[in-house]
Amino acid sequence: MSDKEVLYEGKAKILYKGTRPNTIIQYFKDDATAFNNVKKGTIAGKGIINNKITELVMIRLSQLGIPTHFIERMSDREQLCHEVEIIPLEVIARNTVAGSMAKTFGIEEGLRLRRPIIEFSLKDDDLGDPLIPENHILALEICEQDELIEMMDMTSQINNFLRGMFAGIGLELIDFKLEFGRLTDGESGHFLVLADEFSPDNCRLWDYETGEKMDKDRFRRDLGGEVEAYQEVARRLGISLEVEDEE
């Protein structure tokens, strides 16, 4: 990977200049962080698993009609994606009370919501990714109103589809966060696409029968068994974890 131009290195991925015009390469690391990078560690093989799960989810969502930045998986840890202008928001969908919502409102984890909640946080580690109301987003011109509506609509569609997909393999989709970006289109300016990743790093998955946590909460809460949980999610999705290449 040393011969590629580094564009950005984050907590879980490195972005390189792509092999085609207007593309990037996402490289998935094994690094694990929590609480805005306060807690750090490693989950062996996490990058490979997250890359392959993201590939599967992006392809299925594209088939559903959700536009994404994903082009193709290049290797165990790399995928080629369209270069997009990321909107600095995290779009969060909640189906069941857990994590920060439980703490903020003093509600016991596990309460299933009567209807899903979609909320936004400002993507800014220095500020702790604070929740931001829709009127603040518009007043601060973070995105346009039609983009805000479109992100909410796409998140709702994604939530409905993925809840069913994971339920089919015995997992309850508790919550997740997404990122969206503007993909330039020579004819119409730009349009919104789903970007970043979808993996046990940015969602909560509980086993329907046992309630066992199958996501990064195992790392956050020192539960142990992180590697096994990630591997089990991949196995249930029918993903082969056989290593195809060595980085």
Side-chain angles (χ1 to χ4, degrees), residues 65-128:
I66 301 293
T68 81
H69 75 158
F70 177 83
I71 299 173
E72 64 182 3
R73 182 168 63 84
M74 302 173 66
S75 68
D76 278 334
R77 293 182 181 271
E78 299 170 304
Q79 56 181 236
L80 186 68
C81 301
H82 295 289
E83 186 174 20
V84 301
E85 177 192 356
I86 292 290
I87 295 175
L89 295 169
E90 293 179 345
V91 187
I92 303 162
R94 299 185 184 275
N95 300 306
T96 300
V97 174
S100 61
M101 183 178 183
K103 182 177 180 181
T104 299
F105 297 104
I107 304 172
E108 186 176 353
E109 284 196 326
L111 174 67
R112 290 189 175 97
L113 299 168
R114 292 182 62 182
R115 65 183 219 176
I117 294 172
I118 296 176
E119 60 191 19
F120 298 87
S121 67
L122 183 65
K123 188 173 169 59
D124 189 321
D125 286 344
D126 291 339
L127 297 176

Side-chain angles (χ1 to χ4, degrees), residues 38-58:
V38 172
K39 181 178 182 180
K40 301 178 182 180
T42 300
I43 300 175
K46 176 175 79 75
I48 294 174
I49 295 170
N50 286 356
N51 184 22
K52 292 184 176 183
I53 291 177
T54 295
E55 174 193 24
L56 182 148
V57 170
M58 291 291 184

